[in-house]
C-alpha cells in the first residue's frame, strides 16, 4: 500500500446522453398515448413543445432517482456494484419507471389531465386563461 492519502476518492455515477435521449422519447410517446386515451386528437397536439418539456422533466426526475439509487448501492456495499453499468441502470430504470408514470398520471395540478385540457383549448382560450390580470379592490389577497 502506498503512503498516498486516497480518502477523498469516490465512484461517480453518470447517465449517458443516449440513455437520456431514449428516456425523453419514451416519455414523449407515453404522454401522447395518454392524451389519446383522454380523447385528444392528434390534430390538437400541434405544438409538441409542452409535451417535450414535460418529457424532459419526467426523464430528469427518473435520472435523478437512478443516480441516487446507484450511489446508495455503492455506499451500502462499500464498493461498486458487480453488475455492468448498463445492467444496473436498466434494472433501476425498470424499478422506477412505473412509479414516475403513476405519479404524473395522478398529479391533479400539473399532470396529464391538465395537459389534455391545455391541448384541447383554442388559442383565444389559452390567452384568456394565462393572461396576467390586475388585482382589483374586490379580490382577496392571501
Amino acid at each position: 500500500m502506498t503512503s498516498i492519502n486516497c480518502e477523498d476518492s469516490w465512484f461517480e455515477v453518470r447517465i449517458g446522453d443516449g440513455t437520456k435521449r431514449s428516456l425523453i422519447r419514451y416519455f414523449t410517446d407515453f404522454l401522447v398515448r395518454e392524451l389519446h386515451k383522454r380523447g385528444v386528437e392528434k390534430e390538437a397536439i400541434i405544438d409538441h413543445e409542452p409535451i417535450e418539456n414535460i418529457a424532459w422533466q419526467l426523464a430528469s426526475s427518473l435520472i435523478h432517482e437512478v443516480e441516487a439509487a446507484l450511489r446508495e448501492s455503492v455506499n451500502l456495499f462499500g464498493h461498486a456494484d458487480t453488475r455492468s453499468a448498463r445492467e444496473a441502470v436498466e434494472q433501476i430504470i425498470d424499478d422506477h419507471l412505473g412509479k414516475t408514470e403513476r405519479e404524473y398520471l395522478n398529479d391533479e395540478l400539473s399532470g396529464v389531465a391538465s395537459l389534455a385540457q391545455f391541448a384541447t383549448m383554442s388559442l383565444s382560450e389559452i390567452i384568456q386563461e394565462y393572461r396576467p390580470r390586475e388585482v382589483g379592490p374586490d379580490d382577496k389577497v392571501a
Side-chain angles (χ1 to χ4, degrees):
M1 190 69 144
T2 67
S3 62
I4 307 288
N5 181 344
C6 298
E7 290 179 11
D8 65 344
S9 299
W10 62 87
F11 290 103
E12 189 166 324
V13 176
R14 290 186 185 240
I15 305 300
D17 289 340
T19 302
K20 290 176 185 176
R21 283 190 299 271
S22 182
L23 281 169
I24 292 164
R25 280 190 304 272
Y26 174 86
F27 281 121
T28 299
D29 293 344
F30 163 73
L31 292 168
V32 169
R33 279 192 317 272
E34 290 299 322
L35 288 172
H36 287 290
K37 285 181 188 177
R38 286 159 177 75
V40 177
E41 299 297 324
K42 191 168 189 155
E43 294 78 32
I45 311 172
I46 294 170
D47 181 10
H48 281 285
E49 187 174 332
I51 293 171
E52 290 169 358
N53 289 341
I54 293 168
W56 271 90
Q57 291 169 4
L58 293 172
S60 293
S61 172
L62 182 60
I63 289 166
H64 178 73
E65 289 182 31
V66 169
E67 289 173 341
L70 287 171
R71 276 191 298 276
E72 184 178 317
S73 72
V74 169
N75 290 337
L76 285 175
F77 300 111
H79 56 79
D81 199 317
T82 58
R83 299 174 289 180
S84 73
R86 191 193 100 242
E87 291 170 327
V89 169
E90 283 176 351
Q91 181 61 53
I92 295 169
I93 285 175
D94 285 346
D95 292 346
H96 288 85
L97 194 60
K99 176 182 163 251
T100 302
E101 290 175 344
R102 283 188 304 280
E103 285 176 355
Y104 183 72
L105 291 174
N106 294 327
D107 185 342
E108 292 179 18
L109 185 59
S110 60
V112 73
S114 65
L115 180 61
Q117 178 186 359
F118 181 78
T120 58
M121 293 171 77
S122 69
L123 182 57
S124 61
E125 290 171 323
I126 292 170
I127 292 169
Q128 183 65 31
E129 179 75 20
Y130 295 100
R131 176 188 306 158
R133 68 178 197 92
E134 297 293 322
V135 176
D138 295 333
D139 293 323
K140 294 182 181 179
V141 179

